[in-house]
Amino acid sequence: MQLPVQSQSTLYAEAWEAEAGPDDLLEIACAADRAGFHYLAGCDHVGIPRRLAAAMSTVWYDPVATLAFLAAATERVRLLSHVAIVGLRHPLLTAKQYATLDHLSGGRLVLGVGAGHVQEEFEALGVDFRGRGAVLDECLDALRAALGPDEFPEHHGKLYDFEGLGQRPRPAQDRVPVWVGGSSPAAVRRAALKGDGWLPQGDPRDRLPGQIARIRELRERAGARGPFTVGAIAEPLYVGTPRWEVGRRTLTGGPRELAESLRAYRAMGVHQIQVRFRSRSRSELTDQIAAFGAEVAPEL
């Protein structure tokens, strides 16, 4: 699940999150860890321009700091950046941050990356916004090297050139999984050819089969080998019968009813689904997390 509180876009944030803080994040993360969730995810924005602030809000916790904070309080749940805009930073800096996070968490990092969409962020940091796709492509190559086993990673490209600079601690994992986010043709192609997984950006159910078929075609044509994780973001959920207005798109009902609906994703070729629960308070959210883990997940 994507963590609440740490990003508060009006597209998905609940009203109670506006007054929430670190204690709430800790309690929610621990609830997800106990309930058997696969990962917790945090978003990445450096700054939100005034023209977008009303819709996106300016509340975007740094994902590395947030996930590291939660790593110390959890035991098994993985830690996903969904997504890190890695093109805003030099890949050696990104590698230092995320390698340390993986080391401190005992190998629980999943590095989710994306191209970004806020032009003012790129301009403020001196990065070419129009060329962000090419920047991300090379970042991925550089990060593969910098997050690999070598103490002195090496990369020679058009934008980044480094060797002879040692970075320890190394990641705890032999290979940090890299999932690519986005649903544009370029993002899907990038995920298929450069990633270990794909994180769609809100594709509805009827669009997913075509996207997944395209990924399979691209990987087969390129001779790509190894495991590949296809993700999806499910509709908002509420376990049980709500006594308040949860929105017409929200899936509600008992465990078997919800599981039957969610199993449709597996039939499409999806391996993991990201869920978000409707809630009016932290306690209602943690109750929903516990109910999903105990009653719905076994049906999946």
Side-chain angles (χ1 to χ4, degrees):
M1 63 177 287
Q2 190 88 24
L3 285 160
V5 181
Q6 58 84 41
S7 72
Q8 296 190 25
S9 166
T10 58
L11 289 176
Y12 48 72
E14 302 285 9
W16 65 267
E17 295 179 45
E19 303 300 322
D23 290 345
D24 301 283
L25 276 170
L26 276 175
E27 184 60 34
I28 292 158
C30 290
D33 196 36
R34 290 192 300 268
F37 278 50
H38 182 53
Y39 65 72
L40 297 169
C43 304
D44 181 26
H45 276 294
V46 172
I48 306 300
R50 291 184 185 276
R51 68 180 177 88
L52 297 175
M56 291 181 66
S57 94
T58 58
V59 179
W60 295 82
Y61 288 37
D62 177 78
V64 179
T66 305
L67 294 174
F69 172 64
L70 299 177
T74 55
E75 296 180 356
R76 50 151 302 281
V77 69
R78 300 200 68 147
L79 309 162
L80 167 67
S81 57
H82 188 186
V83 288
I85 309 172
V86 293
L88 293 176
R89 307 163 182 88
H90 193 286
L92 278 179
L93 175 59
T94 299
K96 168 58 72 176
Q97 294 174 314
Y98 282 101
T100 303
L101 173 58
D102 193 61
H103 177 79
L104 291 173
S105 67
R108 289 191 275 149
L109 171 67
V110 179
L111 181 61
V113 304
H117 68 95
V118 179
Q119 183 170 347
E120 289 91 336
E121 279 185 306
F122 284 78
E123 292 172 346
L125 296 172
V127 182
D128 178 20
F129 178 73
R130 291 187 176 181
R132 65 193 185 281
V135 171
L136 177 54
D137 283 339
E138 186 170 333
C139 269
L140 284 168
D141 294 336
L143 285 168
R144 286 292 191 197
L147 290 171
D150 295 336
E151 179 181 351
F152 293 87
E154 183 175 343
H155 172 80
H156 303 287
K158 293 181 180 179
L159 301 171
Y160 308 108
D161 192 287
F162 55 83
E163 64 175 314
L165 291 170
Q167 287 191 331
R168 294 183 68 185
R170 305 306 304 154
Q173 298 177 87
D174 293 333
R175 179 184 174 92
V176 172
V178 177
W179 294 354
V180 178
S183 295
S184 69
V188 169
R189 181 177 182 84
R190 184 174 296 117
L193 301 182
K194 290 182 175 290
D196 302 306
W198 176 53
L199 294 164
Q201 188 63 39
D203 289 76
R205 293 192 187 206
D206 60 358
R207 195 178 176 211
L208 280 171
Q211 296 276 59
I212 294 169
R214 177 62 174 157
I215 287 173
R216 288 173 174 167
E217 177 189 356
L218 287 165
R219 287 180 61 79
E220 184 175 346
R221 190 182 303 168
R225 297 289 183 267
F228 189 89
T229 302
V230 174
I233 300 176
E235 299 86 348
L237 301 176
Y238 193 91
V239 183
T241 302
R243 295 183 175 87
W244 56 287
E245 180 52 55
V246 294
R248 64 180 181 83
R249 289 187 61 251
T250 302
L251 299 178
T252 66
R256 290 185 179 179
E257 185 178 0
L258 289 176
E260 182 180 0
S261 178
L262 293 174
R263 278 196 296 267
Y265 285 103
R266 184 174 62 191
M268 299 176 197
V270 170
H271 303 111
Q272 61 88 6
I273 51 171
Q274 186 176 119
V275 296
R276 179 177 289 273
F277 302 98
R278 295 301 319 277
S279 61
R280 294 164 293 176
S281 65
R282 183 185 83 182
S283 61
E284 185 169 30
L285 175 57
T286 54
D287 286 347
Q288 285 285 302
I289 289 170
F292 188 90
E295 301 170 21
V296 182
E299 299 286 341
L300 297 175

